Amino acid sequence: GSTIVDFTNATADFARLGYSITEATDLAKAASIYKNVGDGINSVSDASESIISTMKAFGIEANDAIGIVDRFNEVGKILPLDNYIG
């Protein structure tokens, strides 16, 4: 899983983007989960960037970020990344 340092850094990164501490914590939790279940996600930083870009692209609020992870995970089950690499 993710380390405390990863979680703390992710929370701080989200807070620097203007999210409240509560929102930043929720986003860090989602990023930590996504790092563990996401195909091709190698760090909490990668997960954070993916979540933020998706939130902005689709107008999703911070409190719904875990839904992004759920959707990515479902798509990953249907369309495994291995089918598109190499």
Side-chain angles (χ1 to χ4, degrees):
S2 301
T3 66
I4 291 173
V5 172
D6 288 338
F7 186 82
T8 302
N9 287 339
T11 303
D13 289 344
F14 288 119
R16 278 191 288 277
L17 291 172
Y19 293 98
S20 71
I21 293 300
T22 301
E23 291 171 327
T25 302
D26 289 343
L27 288 163
K29 286 178 190 175
S32 295
I33 292 168
Y34 187 34
K35 180 213 172 235
N36 292 325
V37 301
D39 293 336
I41 301 297
N42 299 314
S43 69
V44 173
S45 179
D46 290 345
S48 298
E49 290 174 15
S50 180
I51 289 170
I52 288 295
S53 62
T54 304
M55 287 173 58
K56 290 186 181 230
F58 293 99
I60 297 171
E61 298 294 323
N63 60 345
D64 293 328
I66 197 66
I68 295 169
V69 176
D70 292 340
R71 288 177 187 95
F72 283 159
N73 194 33
E74 286 300 313
V75 169
K77 289 178 186 176
I78 296 167
L79 303 169
L81 187 60
D82 294 345
N83 291 346
Y84 302 97
I85 296 177

